[in-house]
Amino acid sequence: MTSAYFITGTDTDVGKTLVATAWLQAANERGLSTLGLKPVAAGCERTAEGLRNADALALHAASSLRPLYYEEVNPVALPDACSPHLAARHAGRRPTVSQVVGFCRGSLSRRAGLTLIEGAGGWRVPLNDIEFMSAIAVTLKLPVVLVVGVRLGCLNAAFLTAEAIRRDGLELAGWVANVRDPGMLALDENIASLAQGLKAPCLGVVPVLESPSPAAAAAFLTNLPWAAAS
C-alpha cells in the first residue's frame, strides 16, 4: 500500500520541513519506504554540485528510497529567498503547475510506502504570475496536512487556510500544531480553539525543541495517518 500527502503551512517558516521529516522518520521506523519532495524551493545556496536548499536536503536525508538524486527531490531550485514567482523571475525562469506536477508524478510512480510533497510557504503562494502552489496539490488530488505555526495570529491563518483547502475540493487530512512562541499567552486554549475550528484530526503538538531534529519531533506526532484517502 502506498500513501501520499501534500504538506502546507499557515505561513513560511512554521515548521513544515520539521514535521515532514519527522513523519518520514516515523515511517522509516515502521519499515515503510519513504520519499520526501520539495518540488519548488526558493532560497538555495550555490555549491559545487549546483543549487541546494536546506529543506530539500533534509527531506532527501530523511527519505529511505534509493537511489535518490537531489534533483528528484527539488527539481525547481531558485537562488533568491523570496516568493517562488519572484525568485523564478529573478532567475529568468517560469515554472508552471503542469511542469511541477509532471516532476511529482514521476516521483510518485516510484510508489514509496509514504510520499510527502512539501509546498513552499503557505497555501496561496504564487508559483508564477497566474498560478498558485496550491494548484499542484489540486491537480494531483492529494489529501493535505496543515502545519500551524502556533503564535499570535495563528487562529485566523489556520482557519482561512483550512477554508481554502476545502473550497479547492481537497481533504484536510489533519493538522500539526508546531509551537513557535513558547511564551504565547493562553497556549493550551489556542490549541483547543484550533482543534474546535479546524474540524480535522490533530496529528500532534510539537513544542519548542531545544535541539530540533526529525527524531525529536517524531515523538510528538502521535496520531499520524498511514493510508491516504483514495
Side-chain angles (χ1 to χ4, degrees):
M1 181 179 294
T2 62
S3 296
Y5 297 86
F6 190 89
I7 310 293
T8 193
T10 46
D11 200 349
T12 191
D13 194 32
V14 295
K16 294 189 302 296
T17 303
L18 178 64
V19 169
T21 54
W23 191 351
L24 294 170
Q25 169 89 14
N28 290 334
E29 292 173 358
R30 291 170 67 101
L32 295 176
S33 58
T34 58
L35 177 59
L37 306 176
K38 180 85 171 177
V40 180
C44 299
E45 293 186 5
R46 298 188 185 278
T47 72
E49 292 76 30
L51 290 169
R52 295 292 184 267
N53 174 265
D55 291 345
L57 288 170
L59 291 165
H60 184 276
S63 302
S64 70
L65 206 64
R66 293 293 186 269
L68 181 62
Y69 300 103
Y70 177 85
E71 290 74 16
E72 295 177 76
V73 174
N74 176 212
V76 181
L78 304 167
D80 289 353
C82 56
S83 179
H85 75 300
L86 298 178
R89 185 185 301 166
H90 298 169
R93 301 182 62 178
R94 190 183 182 279
T96 65
V97 167
S98 63
Q99 289 170 346
V100 176
V101 165
F103 291 133
C104 292
R105 282 184 171 145
S107 295
L108 288 166
S109 71
R110 299 188 66 176
R111 300 188 64 78
L114 175 68
T115 300
L116 301 180
I117 300 177
E118 182 186 324
W123 187 246
R124 283 286 188 257
V125 166
L127 177 63
N128 54 49
D129 290 341
I130 60 172
E131 295 179 306
F132 295 101
M133 288 289 303
S134 54
I136 296 168
V138 172
T139 305
L140 292 170
K141 299 180 180 177
L142 292 177
V144 180
V145 168
L146 173 63
V147 179
V148 180
V150 180
R151 56 195 176 200
L152 186 63
C154 68
L155 299 181
N156 178 67
F159 297 152
L160 285 176
T161 302
E163 180 183 324
I165 291 167
R166 290 179 171 126
R167 186 172 294 171
D168 285 346
L170 296 181
E171 174 197 3
L172 180 60
W175 59 280
V176 175
N178 186 42
V179 180
R180 307 298 290 167
D181 178 8
M184 182 180 183
L185 185 65
L187 175 60
D188 291 343
E189 292 170 272
N190 274 278
I191 292 173
S193 295
L194 286 167
Q196 182 179 17
L198 287 174
K199 296 180 174 58
C202 177
L203 310 184
V205 178
V206 181
V208 175
L209 300 171
E210 184 175 343
S211 300
S213 69
F220 297 96
L221 300 183
T222 56
N223 190 33
L224 290 170
W226 295 107
S230 58

